[in-house]
């Protein structure tokens, strides 16, 4: 994707990017897309996957906050958690 081409991307580059994006999806999505589905379907599935990752991060953050609020800040467990978050 060189800038000298004024933002135009070749079909080969698009296909390569689609393959790379597909490789980032979980195994179950890759199996569904194994028959080389459309780029728009792949983009929709990728957006859905990203949204689910955001929800998972939010849930884990809430759970971690709840856990940390029940711990003594000077406890070894709290120090382990803090070291993991650095």
């Amino acid at each position: 994707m060189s800038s000298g081409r004024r933002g135009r991307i070749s079909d080969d580059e698009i296909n390569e990017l689609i393959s790379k994006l597909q490789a980032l999806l979980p195994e179950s999505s890759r199996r569904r897309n194994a028959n080389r589905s459309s780029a728009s379907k792949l983009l929709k599935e990728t957006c859905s996957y990203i949204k689910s990752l955001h929800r998972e991060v939010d849930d884990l953050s809430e759970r971690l906050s709840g856990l940390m609020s029940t711990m003594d800040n000077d406890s070894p467990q709290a120090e382990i958690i803090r070291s993991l978050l650095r």
Side-chain angles (χ1 to χ4, degrees):
M1 288 187 273
S2 79
S3 59
R5 294 188 304 195
R6 297 178 179 226
R8 300 284 303 173
I9 300 174
S10 72
D11 287 346
D12 287 341
E13 289 172 313
I14 290 173
N15 289 334
E16 181 181 342
L17 291 170
I18 288 171
S19 293
K20 287 180 180 180
L21 186 58
Q22 192 171 23
L24 295 173
L25 291 176
E27 194 66 34
S28 60
S29 292
R30 285 193 297 220
R31 275 195 295 276
R32 282 195 309 262
N33 285 329
N35 61 355
R36 216 155 143 73
S37 63
S38 70
S40 64
K41 183 176 179 181
L42 178 65
L43 290 172
K44 287 177 187 176
E45 288 185 14
T46 302
C47 289
S48 176
Y49 180 59
I50 290 170
K51 287 177 186 177
S52 74
L53 290 174
H54 279 284
R55 285 190 300 272
E56 189 173 343
V57 167
D58 290 344
D59 177 57
L60 290 171
S61 294
E62 286 178 25
R63 290 170 57 190
L64 181 59
S65 292
L67 178 64
M68 291 296 289
S69 70
T70 64
M71 274 187 199
D72 176 12
N73 281 338
D74 297 326
S75 73
Q77 294 87 354
E79 182 55 40
I80 291 170
I81 292 173
R82 280 194 296 275
S83 70
L84 291 172
L85 296 175
R86 290 184 196 138

